[in-house]
Amino acid sequence: MDHEAVKGPAMRPAARTNRGATSKTFWRKIREPLAQSRFVKSAIASLFAQFVRLVRLTNRLVDGSAQFAGGAYAHLEPGIIALWHGQHILTPAYYPKDRPLVAMVSRSADAELNALMLEKFGIEAVRGSGGREGSKHLDKGGAKALIALKRSLVAGKNVAMIADIPHGTPRDAGLGIVLLARLSGRPILPTAITTSRRKVLERSWDKTTVNLPFGRSSIVIGTPVFVPANADAAEMERKRQEVTASLNAATAEAYRLVDGRK
C-alpha cells in the first residue's frame, strides 16, 4: 500500500502536463480556422464598430471643428480625403451617413478587419495601396484600386485614402494619393480627427492612436491640394511635400483644439 501511495501522487504532475499539451495542440488546430473565419472576423469588426460609435457619441465636437462633408467645403466635393496611418480610425463614425464614401484599404490580411468595419458603416472599401514611386511602379492591384477610386470620384462620391505608405516613413505622404488627384482632377483634402482622451501605441511604427470615450473631439481640414493634369515628376514631388505639410498642420491644429492649447 505504501508503494502505491507514493506512486499515485508522482503520476499526477505528468497527467497535468499531458492535459496542458493536449490543450495547446487543440488550440493550435482551431486557431488558424478561427482566424480565417468570415463569421469570426465579422464579429470582431462589429465590436470595433460599436466601440468607435461609442467614442463618437461621448466626445463632443469642440468649437472650431470643420464639417466633414458639405458646408464650407461643398464646392470641393467630390474630393480625396487624406488621412495618416494610425490617425484614421474614427473616420467612419464621423463621416455623415447620407454622403457616399469609398475608402482605399490595404490588401494585407491585417487590413481585412478594417475593410469589414467600414462595411458596418455603409462605406465601400477598395482593396489596394498607393505607391511612393508613382504610376510607373504601381503594382497591378494598386493601379486597379486607383482606377476604381477615380471612377468613384467621377460618379460624385468622396473617397478616403491613407496618405503615408505602410511601414514606410510615418507622416510623410506617398505619391499614390498625388497621382489620384492628377488623374481625377479632384482636390486632396488633408483631414485630421482626434480626441482629448487617447492612448498612443508608442511601439507601433505609425504611433497608432486609440481614441477613448468621454472627452472632446475635433475635425480639422487643412489647406486643399490641387494637382494639375500635366504635372511632371518634379511637380508631383512638390505636391507630395505639400500634402505632407498640410496634413501635418491639420493634425497639429486638431490636437491643439482638443487639448485646449493657445
Side-chain angles (χ1 to χ4, degrees), residues 18-202:
N18 290 337
R19 285 197 297 270
T22 301
S23 298
K24 289 181 180 179
T25 301
F26 174 73
W27 171 243
R28 281 196 295 266
K29 287 181 178 179
I30 68 170
R31 181 173 55 188
E32 187 171 347
L34 281 175
Q36 299 300 321
S37 167
R38 176 80 178 187
F39 174 80
V40 172
K41 290 178 181 178
S42 180
I44 294 172
S46 293
L47 290 175
F48 285 163
Q50 292 302 323
F51 178 76
V52 170
R53 288 189 177 102
L54 175 66
V55 172
R56 172 67 181 93
L57 288 172
T58 59
N59 282 274
R60 67 171 183 83
L61 280 170
V62 301
D63 294 339
S65 293
Q67 186 175 341
F68 212 129
Y73 298 92
H75 66 290
L76 297 176
E77 296 185 55
I80 304 164
I81 298 169
L83 304 155
W84 284 143
H85 267 105
Q87 304 285 311
H88 64 286
I89 298 171
L90 290 179
T91 306
Y94 280 78
Y95 189 83
K97 295 179 181 179
D98 60 350
R99 191 74 177 89
L101 179 66
V102 180
M104 177 184 273
V105 179
S106 169
R107 287 177 294 151
S108 69
D110 292 341
E112 188 170 354
L113 282 177
N114 192 15
L116 290 172
M117 189 180 78
L118 289 175
E119 291 179 6
K120 308 297 180 184
F121 288 90
I123 296 172
E124 180 184 348
V126 169
R127 305 301 296 270
S129 59
R132 187 183 298 275
E133 304 298 332
S135 58
K136 291 183 180 180
H137 299 277
L138 277 176
D139 62 27
K140 187 176 180 181
K144 284 184 176 180
L146 286 183
I147 291 171
L149 292 178
K150 179 186 175 183
R151 287 174 178 166
S152 296
L153 289 164
V154 170
K157 302 176 182 179
N158 288 326
V159 305
M161 188 171 175
I162 304 298
D164 45 351
I165 305 301
H167 302 289
T169 303
R171 313 296 185 266
D172 185 38
L175 280 172
I177 194 167
V178 180
L179 178 59
L180 177 61
R182 189 185 74 181
L183 293 172
S184 65
R186 302 310 305 163
I188 298 170
L189 306 176
T191 303
I193 310 171
T194 193
T195 55
S196 57
R197 298 189 68 249
R198 57 189 182 266
K199 172 66 176 177
V200 178
L201 305 183
E202 296 291 349

Side-chain angles (χ1 to χ4, degrees), residues 182 227-236 239:
R182 189 185 74 181
V227 182
N230 61 351
D232 60 12
E235 179 69 3
M236 292 284 282
K239 292 298 179 181

